[in-house]
Short mmCIF file of all heavy atoms in Angstrom, two decimals:
data_model
loop_
_atom_site.label_atom_id
_atom_site.label_comp_id
_atom_site.label_asym_id
_atom_site.label_seq_id
_atom_site.Cartn_x
_atom_site.Cartn_y
_atom_site.Cartn_z
N SER A 1 -130.52 -75.53 13.44
CA SER A 1 -131.38 -74.79 12.52
C SER A 1 -130.60 -74.05 11.44
O SER A 1 -131.17 -73.62 10.45
CB SER A 1 -132.25 -73.80 13.31
OG SER A 1 -131.46 -72.72 13.79
N ILE A 2 -129.31 -73.92 11.58
CA ILE A 2 -128.47 -73.24 10.59
C ILE A 2 -127.89 -74.31 9.67
O ILE A 2 -127.07 -75.14 10.09
CB ILE A 2 -127.35 -72.43 11.28
CG1 ILE A 2 -127.96 -71.41 12.25
CG2 ILE A 2 -126.45 -71.76 10.25
CD1 ILE A 2 -126.96 -70.75 13.17
N ALA A 3 -128.30 -74.28 8.40
CA ALA A 3 -127.95 -75.36 7.46
C ALA A 3 -126.45 -75.57 7.33
O ALA A 3 -125.98 -76.71 7.30
CB ALA A 3 -128.56 -75.07 6.09
N GLU A 4 -125.67 -74.49 7.25
CA GLU A 4 -124.22 -74.62 7.09
C GLU A 4 -123.59 -75.34 8.28
O GLU A 4 -122.67 -76.14 8.12
CB GLU A 4 -123.55 -73.25 6.92
CG GLU A 4 -123.96 -72.51 5.66
CD GLU A 4 -125.29 -71.79 5.81
OE1 GLU A 4 -125.68 -71.42 6.94
OE2 GLU A 4 -125.98 -71.61 4.79
N ILE A 5 -124.09 -75.07 9.45
CA ILE A 5 -123.56 -75.72 10.65
C ILE A 5 -124.07 -77.16 10.72
O ILE A 5 -123.31 -78.08 10.99
CB ILE A 5 -123.94 -74.94 11.92
CG1 ILE A 5 -123.22 -73.59 11.93
CG2 ILE A 5 -123.60 -75.73 13.18
CD1 ILE A 5 -123.62 -72.68 13.06
N ARG A 6 -125.35 -77.33 10.45
CA ARG A 6 -125.97 -78.66 10.54
C ARG A 6 -125.27 -79.66 9.63
O ARG A 6 -125.14 -80.83 9.96
CB ARG A 6 -127.45 -78.57 10.18
CG ARG A 6 -128.20 -79.87 10.28
CD ARG A 6 -129.68 -79.76 9.98
NE ARG A 6 -129.97 -79.21 8.68
CZ ARG A 6 -130.58 -78.05 8.45
NH1 ARG A 6 -130.98 -77.29 9.45
NH2 ARG A 6 -130.81 -77.63 7.23
N ARG A 7 -124.80 -79.22 8.48
CA ARG A 7 -124.14 -80.11 7.52
C ARG A 7 -122.64 -80.20 7.70
O ARG A 7 -121.99 -80.99 7.03
CB ARG A 7 -124.45 -79.64 6.10
CG ARG A 7 -125.89 -79.78 5.74
CD ARG A 7 -126.13 -79.44 4.28
NE ARG A 7 -127.53 -79.25 4.03
CZ ARG A 7 -128.08 -78.09 3.67
NH1 ARG A 7 -127.34 -77.03 3.49
NH2 ARG A 7 -129.37 -78.01 3.47
N SER A 8 -122.08 -79.40 8.57
CA SER A 8 -120.62 -79.38 8.71
C SER A 8 -120.12 -80.66 9.37
O SER A 8 -120.74 -81.18 10.31
CB SER A 8 -120.16 -78.17 9.52
OG SER A 8 -120.42 -78.36 10.89
N PRO A 9 -119.01 -81.19 8.87
CA PRO A 9 -118.46 -82.42 9.46
C PRO A 9 -118.14 -82.27 10.95
O PRO A 9 -118.34 -83.20 11.72
CB PRO A 9 -117.17 -82.66 8.66
CG PRO A 9 -117.33 -81.89 7.40
CD PRO A 9 -118.23 -80.73 7.72
N GLU A 10 -117.69 -81.11 11.35
CA GLU A 10 -117.35 -80.90 12.76
C GLU A 10 -118.57 -81.03 13.66
O GLU A 10 -118.51 -81.66 14.71
CB GLU A 10 -116.71 -79.51 12.96
CG GLU A 10 -115.39 -79.32 12.27
CD GLU A 10 -115.52 -78.94 10.79
OE1 GLU A 10 -116.64 -78.70 10.30
OE2 GLU A 10 -114.47 -78.90 10.12
N PHE A 11 -119.67 -80.46 13.24
CA PHE A 11 -120.90 -80.54 14.02
C PHE A 11 -121.39 -81.98 14.11
O PHE A 11 -121.70 -82.48 15.18
CB PHE A 11 -121.98 -79.65 13.40
CG PHE A 11 -123.30 -79.67 14.13
CD1 PHE A 11 -123.47 -78.97 15.30
CD2 PHE A 11 -124.38 -80.39 13.62
CE1 PHE A 11 -124.69 -78.99 15.97
CE2 PHE A 11 -125.60 -80.40 14.28
CZ PHE A 11 -125.75 -79.70 15.46
N LEU A 12 -121.43 -82.64 12.96
CA LEU A 12 -121.93 -84.02 12.93
C LEU A 12 -121.03 -84.96 13.72
O LEU A 12 -121.51 -85.80 14.48
CB LEU A 12 -122.05 -84.48 11.48
CG LEU A 12 -123.07 -83.73 10.65
CD1 LEU A 12 -122.98 -84.14 9.20
CD2 LEU A 12 -124.47 -83.94 11.19
N GLU A 13 -119.76 -84.81 13.53
CA GLU A 13 -118.83 -85.73 14.19
C GLU A 13 -118.77 -85.49 15.69
O GLU A 13 -118.41 -86.38 16.45
CB GLU A 13 -117.47 -85.65 13.53
CG GLU A 13 -117.52 -86.26 12.14
CD GLU A 13 -116.22 -86.19 11.37
OE1 GLU A 13 -115.25 -85.59 11.88
OE2 GLU A 13 -116.18 -86.75 10.27
N PHE A 14 -119.14 -84.29 16.14
CA PHE A 14 -119.22 -84.03 17.58
C PHE A 14 -120.16 -85.03 18.23
O PHE A 14 -119.92 -85.49 19.35
CB PHE A 14 -119.71 -82.59 17.81
CG PHE A 14 -120.12 -82.31 19.23
CD1 PHE A 14 -119.17 -82.06 20.20
CD2 PHE A 14 -121.46 -82.32 19.60
CE1 PHE A 14 -119.55 -81.79 21.51
CE2 PHE A 14 -121.84 -82.07 20.91
CZ PHE A 14 -120.88 -81.80 21.86
N PHE A 15 -121.22 -85.39 17.50
CA PHE A 15 -122.23 -86.26 18.08
C PHE A 15 -121.90 -87.75 18.00
O PHE A 15 -122.30 -88.51 18.88
CB PHE A 15 -123.59 -86.02 17.41
CG PHE A 15 -124.18 -84.70 17.77
CD1 PHE A 15 -124.07 -83.62 16.92
CD2 PHE A 15 -124.82 -84.53 18.98
CE1 PHE A 15 -124.60 -82.39 17.26
CE2 PHE A 15 -125.35 -83.30 19.34
CZ PHE A 15 -125.23 -82.23 18.47
N PHE A 16 -121.20 -88.18 16.95
CA PHE A 16 -121.06 -89.62 16.81
C PHE A 16 -119.67 -90.14 16.47
O PHE A 16 -119.45 -91.35 16.50
CB PHE A 16 -122.06 -90.17 15.79
CG PHE A 16 -121.96 -89.57 14.42
CD1 PHE A 16 -121.04 -90.03 13.52
CD2 PHE A 16 -122.81 -88.56 14.04
CE1 PHE A 16 -120.96 -89.49 12.24
CE2 PHE A 16 -122.75 -88.00 12.78
CZ PHE A 16 -121.81 -88.48 11.88
N LEU A 17 -118.69 -89.29 16.19
CA LEU A 17 -117.37 -89.79 15.82
C LEU A 17 -116.71 -90.57 16.96
O LEU A 17 -116.09 -91.60 16.74
CB LEU A 17 -116.46 -88.66 15.35
CG LEU A 17 -115.10 -89.12 14.83
CD1 LEU A 17 -115.26 -90.05 13.63
CD2 LEU A 17 -114.23 -87.93 14.45
N GLN A 18 -116.88 -90.10 18.17
CA GLN A 18 -116.29 -90.80 19.32
C GLN A 18 -116.88 -92.21 19.44
O GLN A 18 -116.16 -93.17 19.72
CB GLN A 18 -116.52 -90.01 20.60
CG GLN A 18 -115.79 -90.56 21.79
CD GLN A 18 -115.92 -89.65 23.00
OE1 GLN A 18 -116.47 -88.57 22.94
NE2 GLN A 18 -115.39 -90.11 24.11
N ASP A 19 -118.18 -92.35 19.21
CA ASP A 19 -118.81 -93.67 19.24
C ASP A 19 -118.26 -94.56 18.13
O ASP A 19 -118.01 -95.75 18.34
CB ASP A 19 -120.33 -93.57 19.08
CG ASP A 19 -121.04 -93.26 20.39
OD1 ASP A 19 -120.41 -93.41 21.46
OD2 ASP A 19 -122.22 -92.90 20.33
N LEU A 20 -118.07 -93.99 16.94
CA LEU A 20 -117.54 -94.79 15.83
C LEU A 20 -116.13 -95.30 16.15
O LEU A 20 -115.81 -96.45 15.89
CB LEU A 20 -117.52 -93.98 14.54
CG LEU A 20 -118.87 -93.59 13.94
CD1 LEU A 20 -118.68 -92.80 12.66
CD2 LEU A 20 -119.73 -94.81 13.69
N ARG A 21 -115.31 -94.43 16.70
CA ARG A 21 -113.94 -94.85 17.07
C ARG A 21 -113.97 -95.95 18.12
O ARG A 21 -113.24 -96.94 18.01
CB ARG A 21 -113.15 -93.66 17.59
CG ARG A 21 -112.74 -92.70 16.52
CD ARG A 21 -111.91 -91.58 17.11
NE ARG A 21 -111.56 -90.61 16.09
CZ ARG A 21 -111.57 -89.30 16.27
NH1 ARG A 21 -111.88 -88.78 17.44
NH2 ARG A 21 -111.23 -88.50 15.29
N ALA A 22 -114.80 -95.78 19.14
CA ALA A 22 -114.89 -96.79 20.20
C ALA A 22 -115.41 -98.10 19.64
O ALA A 22 -114.89 -99.18 19.97
CB ALA A 22 -115.79 -96.28 21.33
N ALA A 23 -116.43 -98.04 18.80
CA ALA A 23 -117.00 -99.25 18.21
C ALA A 23 -115.98 -99.97 17.34
O ALA A 23 -115.87 -101.20 17.38
CB ALA A 23 -118.25 -98.90 17.40
N GLN A 24 -115.23 -99.21 16.57
CA GLN A 24 -114.20 -99.80 15.73
C GLN A 24 -113.13 -100.50 16.58
O GLN A 24 -112.73 -101.62 16.28
CB GLN A 24 -113.56 -98.73 14.84
CG GLN A 24 -112.57 -99.28 13.83
CD GLN A 24 -111.92 -98.18 13.02
OE1 GLN A 24 -111.55 -97.14 13.56
NE2 GLN A 24 -111.79 -98.41 11.72
N ARG A 25 -112.71 -99.84 17.64
CA ARG A 25 -111.71 -100.42 18.55
C ARG A 25 -112.24 -101.73 19.16
O ARG A 25 -111.53 -102.73 19.21
CB ARG A 25 -111.38 -99.39 19.64
CG ARG A 25 -109.98 -99.33 20.05
CD ARG A 25 -109.62 -98.19 21.03
NE ARG A 25 -110.70 -97.48 21.68
CZ ARG A 25 -111.16 -96.28 21.31
NH1 ARG A 25 -110.65 -95.66 20.29
NH2 ARG A 25 -112.13 -95.71 21.99
N LEU A 26 -113.47 -101.70 19.63
CA LEU A 26 -114.07 -102.90 20.22
C LEU A 26 -114.20 -104.03 19.19
O LEU A 26 -113.97 -105.20 19.52
CB LEU A 26 -115.43 -102.57 20.82
CG LEU A 26 -115.42 -101.69 22.08
CD1 LEU A 26 -116.81 -101.14 22.36
CD2 LEU A 26 -114.90 -102.48 23.27
N THR A 27 -114.56 -103.68 17.99
CA THR A 27 -114.68 -104.68 16.93
C THR A 27 -113.33 -105.30 16.62
O THR A 27 -113.21 -106.52 16.47
CB THR A 27 -115.29 -104.06 15.66
OG1 THR A 27 -116.55 -103.46 15.98
CG2 THR A 27 -115.49 -105.10 14.57
N CYS A 28 -112.30 -104.47 16.55
CA CYS A 28 -110.94 -104.96 16.26
C CYS A 28 -110.43 -105.92 17.33
O CYS A 28 -109.64 -106.80 17.04
CB CYS A 28 -109.96 -103.79 16.13
SG CYS A 28 -110.19 -102.82 14.64
N THR A 29 -110.89 -105.73 18.55
CA THR A 29 -110.43 -106.59 19.64
C THR A 29 -111.37 -107.77 19.89
O THR A 29 -111.18 -108.52 20.84
CB THR A 29 -110.27 -105.78 20.95
OG1 THR A 29 -111.51 -105.17 21.29
CG2 THR A 29 -109.19 -104.72 20.80
N GLY A 30 -112.39 -107.92 19.04
CA GLY A 30 -113.28 -109.07 19.15
C GLY A 30 -114.35 -108.96 20.22
O GLY A 30 -115.00 -109.95 20.55
N MET A 31 -114.58 -107.75 20.72
CA MET A 31 -115.61 -107.54 21.75
C MET A 31 -116.90 -107.12 21.05
O MET A 31 -117.36 -105.99 21.15
CB MET A 31 -115.13 -106.49 22.75
CG MET A 31 -113.86 -106.93 23.47
SD MET A 31 -113.25 -105.68 24.61
CE MET A 31 -114.46 -105.84 25.90
N TYR A 32 -117.49 -108.08 20.33
CA TYR A 32 -118.59 -107.79 19.43
C TYR A 32 -119.87 -107.34 20.12
O TYR A 32 -120.58 -106.48 19.61
CB TYR A 32 -118.87 -108.99 18.53
CG TYR A 32 -117.66 -109.37 17.72
CD1 TYR A 32 -116.99 -110.56 17.95
CD2 TYR A 32 -117.18 -108.51 16.73
CE1 TYR A 32 -115.86 -110.89 17.20
CE2 TYR A 32 -116.05 -108.84 15.99
CZ TYR A 32 -115.40 -110.03 16.23
OH TYR A 32 -114.28 -110.35 15.50
N ARG A 33 -120.20 -107.89 21.26
CA ARG A 33 -121.41 -107.50 21.97
C ARG A 33 -121.33 -106.03 22.38
O ARG A 33 -122.26 -105.26 22.18
CB ARG A 33 -121.62 -108.40 23.20
CG ARG A 33 -122.85 -108.11 24.01
CD ARG A 33 -124.17 -108.48 23.39
NE ARG A 33 -124.26 -109.86 22.97
CZ ARG A 33 -125.09 -110.29 22.03
NH1 ARG A 33 -125.91 -109.46 21.44
NH2 ARG A 33 -125.13 -111.55 21.67
#
């Protein structure tokens, strides 16, 4: 509910950066499914 926090990269990346890193790693190794 706090706009400054809601838009902060740290807050947003808390939710999905780990998934992006894992997905990128899997893609690089050809594990597409």
Side-chain angles (χ1 to χ4, degrees):
S1 72
I2 302 169
E4 296 81 26
I5 293 175
R6 182 177 57 246
R7 293 186 194 115
S8 76
E10 296 83 6
F11 179 77
L12 296 172
E13 290 178 356
F14 167 79
F15 290 99
F16 58 83
L17 185 60
Q18 188 174 355
D19 277 345
L20 293 180
R21 286 182 183 139
Q24 186 183 42
R25 218 173 13 259
L26 291 165
T27 304
C28 289
T29 58
M31 299 178 73
Y32 301 112
R33 180 71 54 204

